[in-house]
Amino acid sequence: MSNSTGRGLQANVLGTFDTVVMAVAGSAPAYSIAATTAVLAGAVGLAGPAALLYCAIPMLGIALAFSRLSRIDVNAGASYSWVGRTLHPFLGFISGWALVISATIFMVAGSLPAGSMTLALFDEGLADDTALATIVGAAWFLVMLAVVLGGARLTVRAQLIMSGVELAILALFAVLAVFHTDNALPFDWSWLGFSHFHGVSGFASGALVAAFYYWGWDVTSNLSEETRNSRRTTGLAGLIGVGIVFLLFEVFTIAVNVVLSSQRIEDNGANVLAALGEEVWPGWGGKLLIVAVMLSTVATLETTLIQVTRSLFAMGRDRTMPSALGRVHRTWNTPWVAIAVVGGVALVLFVASNALGSVGDILADAISAIGLQIAVYYGLAGLAAVVAYRSTLLKSVSDFLLGGLWPLFGALFMFWIFAESLGELDPAAVAIGIGGLAVGLVPMLWYWRQGSDYYRPARLDASRTVEAGYVPEGHPAGHSTAHEGLSTDF
């Protein structure tokens, strides 16, 4: 079941440092803080730091699940392959589809702020012009599309520059915020407790927004076929990425609570970070943080493009979607058909989004809808890890905790926030979130009827794969289910 050109993605292009950078960029710290803080404050008020803290614990469980699954199945489709080979191929397809749809929605949710931020650098008044922001955002999107088309090496080089500058600016402002004296509120430890949540449903809606903050670190798994020593590297990079962005999110959410009044947060909904920068360093602060957000947004557009195009590549290769999506460019070793299709669909969505209202309105609904879809595919991956490793879980305490209990807790938490927040969200967000998933039933059933081999999977069982041991590069063992350094998993 090789792709239609007989070629795969370029193996062994990325190292450990590269993949850590991709994991951090995937979660887009500056973008998440700027675009999502107002949504989080609207959902839980001063409990933003608590929502991020209590979502980080199950999120680490999901990162552990990804880490363990990537050891036994190297596949650009990641959870699409893992869930299909452990739970059920239908659930695997839905898992992959949830990523494809959430990433496609994000093309709009991410490109609009990229346009707004770029305009804000020249004139604050232009930033709220949705039509102009869409045009500039679409231009950024096309640039990133070209970079992703140019291959994994070019992608990482661009990422190192963008994320490097972004993280340097964020570190500077983290220090400035700590020493800022003219504060709206004194720091309060209760912001990290449960007292500010309005009941269980309030906590769930906060956790759903927090899931969106973290989303993206798992891009490392979609790059596994292009990563050196990927069985170890991709999972480790994901865990380190979650840890780094957790610290950044906590520092800045607490700083926003301390420095800005709730009215200021509300008034600067689409970019709370610029308001924080202006307060901490009048004159220059807002501008510098706008640069950080712009770079972060463009950087995460790039990682999201990688996730969606690698997922579609895996689906095309397995013939669970049109097989042309599995084609690889002869020069760049990138899935060029998938990249072209995603680019076309996203540009249509940019035009359509203009009918939906302001940048802030579009963002709020899109973030909640994406949150629902993330909960589905992260939750399924958590369960898949427990099932794949079920026969090894009682071998040691660490196997039981890190391989069973924590990923299972992460999965159940994801499903719980999905179910609990359905009643709380706007009908538009639910329609986008659930409707997007439902559309996937059409290609799933069609290609199942066509007899794709994906629907007759080789079961994923850690005990067999782990006993088979490591497969040295260039020496694929016949009994191995996933060959290190090979272009495809089949």
Side-chain angles (χ1 to χ4, degrees), residues 3 7-11 76 222 225-226 310 313 328 333-335 487:
N3 62 64
R7 294 173 64 84
L9 302 167
Q10 191 171 3
N222 298 103
E225 293 183 32
E226 296 152 273
R310 295 313 186 265
F313 163 76
V328 173
N333 288 98
T334 49
S487 57

Side-chain angles (χ1 to χ4, degrees), residues 29-35 37 117 170 173 252 256 260 268-279 285-286 289-290 292-293:
Y31 165 79
S32 297
I33 297 160
T37 301
M117 297 302 143
L170 286 179
F173 278 88
F252 277 92
V256 166
L260 300 179
N268 292 278
N271 189 10
V272 170
L273 214 46
L276 179 73
E278 196 56 50
E279 192 67 39
L289 277 173
I290 285 174
V293 175

Side-chain angles (χ1 to χ4, degrees), residues 37 40-55 185 188-199 202-203 205-207 210 213 250 253-254 257 265:
T37 301
L40 186 63
V44 294
L46 291 170
L52 288 163
L53 171 63
Y54 299 122
C55 194
L185 285 172
D188 190 334
W189 283 105
S190 71
W191 297 343
L192 294 165
F194 287 95
S195 60
H196 290 282
F197 293 112
H198 299 297
F203 174 72
S205 53
Y213 270 83
E250 282 297 343
T253 314
I254 289 169
N257 274 4
I265 295 170

